[in-house]
Amino acid sequence: MSAVTLRPLRSDTLTAGRLPRWSVPVAIVGSLLIGYLIADGLQESPNLALVAGLGFVLFLVTMEVATRLVEGRRQASDRRATHLVTAAFVLALVPLGSVLWEAISQGIGRLDATFFSYSMRNVVGAGGGAAHAITGTLWITGLAALISVPIGLMTAIYLAEYGSGNRTAKAITFFVDVMTGIPSIVAGLFAYSLMAMIFGPGSVFGFSGSIALSVLMIPVVVRSCEELLRLVPNELREAAYALGVPKWITIVRIVLPTAISGLVSGIILAIARVIGETAPLMIAAGFTASLNNNLLDNPMMTLPVFVYDSYAHPGSDVTPYLDRAWAGALTLILIVMLLNLIGRLVARRFAPKTGR
Amino acid sequence: MSKRIDVTDLNVYYGKFRAVEDVTMTIEPKSVTAFIGPSGCGKSTLLRTLNRMHEVINGATVEGEVLLDGENLYGPGVDPVRVRRQIGMVFQRPNPFPTMSIKENVLAGITLNNARLPAARKDEIVENSLRGANLWEEVKNRLDLPGSGLSGGQQQRLCIARAIAMEPEVLLMDEPCSALDPISTLAIEDLIGQLKNTYTIVIVTHNMQQAARVSDTTAFFNIAGTGAPGKLIEMGDTDKIFSTPDLKVTEDYISGRFG
Ligand SMILES: Nc1ncnc2c1ncn2[C@@H]1O[C@H](COP(=O)(O)OP(=O)(O)OP(=O)(O)O)[C@@H](O)[C@H]1O
Ligand SMILES: [Mg+2]
């Protein structure tokens, strides 16, 4: 007798001992149905979460029993793990889908030409738009990116290529980590008081908002770019050095191009991260109902502040204000999605060439 | 277009750890010199000191002299970048630049150093270098495709083409065939045989037959034990080292009785 006894196969065809493929969808539908019936018995009107929860537990139990009987222990645990992981993924998608759905269904109504071409100047009640907030967001975030990307990228280059473990690099890494944890409201207060020191108290304008956003954005850019530069294989740097290429040209012409696709997506994610900031912009860039294209004078409206303002200070007829708030939120989501899309396209365009 | 290298009392360190101790040797121009020895005895380390690639590693230092036709590579005021333009290097693992096409890879040393050349001259350099590396026939129809799309052996020959496009005085090769199949290995050995008419070549190899086949001079290195520095044990004509070496250790190593 050998030490290992294999369980005898129940049949000698290769597909024997496998659940048919339709078993999973059938089990899902069946479990949900039974879950619904149980929930119906327990509650007046069955709650969706309860039905889903009960259905999932039933599904797990049924599949466990069925696989154990037909396929054996190993396959049963494989299926169990697969189902738990999939369920966690679906659960994580629920809030995302629900936010999207809510923003689209509530916001689509006011997403018209007027919304994009009018500001809120002299508008009370219905009508008006967010042109001033959209341009404001683009100006302020654009300038913030213009400030943060060079500073952040160069810091990352220093850390990854020159610093490697010396004291300055360690100190920079420490401060960058601290900066990552700064609450956004503090960044707003910082920008506000900086401007107050330079231009006198009460100086609220777009540039100040850009400064606040930069404080939040720089550490994110530094961190993601540093990681990506470290991913570039050392062999490529050595190959360039061995050809007698100076270090800075190696960085500019070999290291950066190799990492470019990741760098671009990292930077775009950093922009997407700050474009929705509300608190610092409320303090630093202020509120206004009018279009303002001058970053250096007078308050400048931004989309998140517009959404907050429409929702928090509606007129006597609440509906048009809430509609505008939703449309503003939807616009913000669309801008972020557009940014991600552009990021991906750029990344693909620059990605290292592969394939034969 | 090939220079002689004289190494005198060279000690090579990684931080405090001495990896190579008191090496003195002469590498003749227009010849192939092979470095052999057990793993960890400092062959790669010594090779990298010959074109000042060693100091690229953090905390790595060198003591002693390396003379290239009488000029000390480690003398005061010597720019390592200028040294590396004269002494090319091929690494153990092929490392073509992934963002560049085959043609751009061959020209990398020239374009990255901002040399401006007319297009016709560039094409000529590409063709000559690729022919020199025995790769031209295989890639002449896809020069604009990425270099990373070639097979491992082709990539290694591309790296050799990239190194010889710079027309160096000396070519250093660190186990250039260790990742290759026997056919690519033969192609590269043939290539080394041709290249030695023009360049001084130093090659590190673990393959005794390869050392015996391609080299004119062989240097055997050894270590006393882990943590001990590597030393040059014996150096001489390849024929002599492989038939009647002066020392017993060399004979043992070559005949495969240890290491
Ligand atoms: N980057 C490094 N930092 C610290 N020590 C190193 C480094 N590279 C190599 N060493 C050490 O230096 C010694 C010599 O290494 P080297 O790579 O030159 O050996 P080698 O003869 O080329 O070996 P192999 O035949 O395995 O390639 C070894 O003890 C090794 O651990
Ligand atoms: Mg080695």
Side-chain angles (χ1 to χ4, degrees):
Chain A
M1 276 302 284
S2 67
V4 185
T5 39
L6 285 175
R7 191 197 288 238
L9 293 172
R10 282 170 209 192
S11 150
D12 31 2
T13 63
L14 286 173
T15 50
R18 299 290 293 160
L19 282 177
R21 291 182 85 184
W22 48 258
S23 56
V24 175
V26 166
I28 291 178
V29 173
S31 315
L32 283 177
L33 218 63
I34 299 173
Y36 176 80
L37 291 178
I38 299 176
D40 202 28
L42 292 175
Q43 290 176 317
E44 288 279 301
S45 59
N47 158 325
L48 201 63
L50 185 66
V51 174
L54 279 174
F56 181 62
V57 172
L58 274 172
F59 170 71
L60 274 188
V61 173
T62 334
M63 286 309 289
E64 182 79 23
V65 173
T67 5
R68 280 224 179 197
L69 289 180
V70 182
E71 301 190 332
R73 276 247 314 268
R74 181 172 57 81
Q75 283 89 340
S77 28
D78 176 39
R79 281 193 192 259
R80 196 187 325 124
T82 313
H83 295 148
L84 285 173
V85 170
T86 316
F89 169 69
V90 172
L91 202 63
L93 278 187
V94 167
L96 188 68
S98 142
V99 164
L100 261 184
W101 169 248
E102 203 65 14
I104 292 175
S105 59
Q106 306 254 28
I108 198 88
R110 265 315 315 273
L111 217 63
D112 46 26
T114 325
F115 188 77
F116 289 104
S117 42
Y118 283 79
S119 71
M120 287 300 291
R121 194 177 175 84
N122 301 330
V123 175
V124 176
H132 60 315
I134 296 173
T135 50
T137 281
L138 295 182
W139 277 118
I140 290 181
T141 325
L143 183 62
L146 223 57
I147 298 171
S148 321
V149 171
I151 297 181
L153 188 59
M154 286 197 241
T155 311
I157 291 178
Y158 176 77
L159 290 178
E161 305 289 331
Y162 291 92
S164 61
N166 70 20
R167 267 214 204 120
T168 329
K170 278 190 189 132
I172 293 176
T173 308
F174 174 73
F175 285 118
V176 166
D177 283 348
V178 172
M179 267 175 89
T180 318
I182 289 183
S184 58
I185 186 90
V186 176
L189 288 169
F190 163 76
Y192 179 82
S193 38
L194 185 71
M195 292 304 137
M197 270 163 56
I198 301 174
F199 300 103
S203 316
V204 168
F205 46 77
F207 178 65
S208 179
S210 299
I211 295 291
L213 292 190
S214 301
V215 170
L216 296 170
M217 196 173 156
I218 289 174
V220 183
V221 174
V222 172
R223 272 289 141 152
S224 59
C225 292
E226 187 195 347
E227 291 296 317
L228 281 154
L229 293 179
R230 287 196 193 283
L231 284 182
V232 174
N234 229 350
E235 296 165 12
L236 295 182
R237 296 187 183 91
E238 295 206 331
Y241 296 152
L243 289 169
V245 180
K247 184 161 184 167
W248 70 275
I249 297 186
T250 305
I251 293 170
V252 175
R253 305 271 300 269
I254 302 292
V255 178
L256 292 183
T258 307
I260 189 83
S261 69
L263 293 177
V264 170
S265 21
I267 286 168
I268 293 208
L269 280 180
I271 296 177
R273 151 94 179 60
V274 297
I275 204 170
E277 281 296 344
T278 320
L281 292 178
M282 264 157 59
I283 296 173
F287 298 79
T288 171
S290 330
L291 195 67
N292 173 11
N293 280 327
N294 184 357
L295 279 163
L296 294 176
D297 200 13
N298 293 328
M300 194 183 256
M301 200 58 156
T302 47
L303 269 174
V305 178
F306 172 83
V307 172
Y308 167 77
D309 192 39
S310 312
Y311 160 79
H313 310 290
S316 48
D317 182 10
V318 179
T319 333
Y321 287 86
L322 289 187
D323 286 350
R324 277 195 297 264
W326 279 111
L330 182 57
T331 314
L332 199 55
I333 295 179
L334 289 178
I335 293 180
V336 172
M337 282 186 162
L338 198 68
L339 275 176
N340 274 311
L341 196 72
I342 295 174
R344 273 174 196 258
L345 289 180
V346 175
R348 188 170 312 164
R349 166 81 183 67
F350 285 115
K353 306 179 178 107
T354 45
R356 351 217 109 193
Chain B
M1 219 181 40
S2 76
K3 290 187 176 173
R4 154 202 184 96
I5 299 178
D6 291 288
V7 178
T8 337
D9 293 334
L10 198 73
N11 286 288
V12 192
Y13 299 85
Y14 288 104
K16 292 217 159 35
F17 171 64
R18 172 151 44 167
V20 175
E21 183 177 355
D22 281 338
V23 169
T24 300
M25 58 161 52
T26 296
I27 295 167
E28 295 295 338
K30 295 201 181 187
S31 73
V32 179
T33 303
F35 288 1
I36 60 172
S39 190
C41 68
K43 304 179 296 292
S44 303
T45 306
L46 177 63
L47 194 75
R48 289 165 61 94
T49 58
L50 300 184
N51 69 340
R52 296 199 59 169
M53 282 295 289
H54 179 64
E55 64 210 54
V56 168
I57 295 165
N58 246 343
T61 51
V62 178
E63 274 171 11
E65 273 189 346
V66 178
L67 303 181
L68 182 68
D69 266 8
E71 218 184 330
N72 189 2
L73 300 188
Y74 288 92
V78 172
D79 180 2
V81 167
R82 300 188 74 90
V83 171
R84 293 178 202 140
R85 282 182 199 170
Q86 290 194 37
I87 305 183
M89 186 161 207
V90 175
F91 296 82
Q92 181 168 357
R93 288 213 297 165
N95 51 5
F97 298 122
T99 51
M100 298 185 182
S101 68
I102 294 175
K103 183 174 168 182
E104 287 164 341
N105 259 293
V106 177
L107 291 171
I110 292 159
T111 47
L112 291 179
N113 286 316
N114 287 326
R116 302 218 171 280
L117 292 176
R121 176 84 186 101
K122 282 188 182 171
D123 289 342
E124 193 185 327
I125 292 178
V126 170
E127 179 167 349
N128 287 343
S129 312
L130 286 172
R131 276 191 195 286
N134 263 334
L135 189 61
W136 175 250
E137 294 301 328
E138 285 157 78
V139 300
K140 64 181 175 191
N141 295 323
R142 45 171 168 164
L143 292 177
D144 292 317
L145 293 184
S148 42
L150 297 174
S151 79
Q154 291 172 329
Q155 287 187 21
Q156 189 64 301
R157 279 178 281 151
L158 179 60
C159 294
I160 295 178
R162 182 175 68 186
I164 59 184
M166 295 290 286
E167 301 189 339
E169 309 285 347
V170 179
L171 196 56
L172 309 175
M173 303 177 139
D174 192 351
E175 299 183 45
C177 303
S178 65
L180 303 186
D181 69 300
I183 302 205
S184 308
T185 302
L186 267 182
I188 288 182
E189 286 181 8
D190 284 349
L191 180 61
I192 293 172
Q194 292 163 25
L195 292 175
K196 78 168 179 184
N197 297 324
T198 334
Y199 307 100
T200 306
I201 294 181
V202 185
I203 178 173
V204 173
T205 178
H206 274 291
N207 181 330
M208 296 302 141
Q209 288 84 17
Q210 181 170 61
R213 277 193 302 261
V214 302
S215 71
D216 304 303
T217 312
T218 299
F220 171 60
F221 297 82
N222 202 357
I223 29 174
T226 41
K231 288 185 182 176
L232 175 62
I233 304 296
E234 187 172 355
M235 183 172 180
D237 273 358
T238 300
D239 292 340
K240 177 164 180 287
I241 296 276
F242 277 86
S243 53
T244 50
D246 291 336
L247 297 172
K248 177 106 180 18
V249 259
T250 317
E251 196 180 345
D252 286 350
Y253 182 76
I254 284 166
S255 56
R257 251 166 285 167
F258 92 91

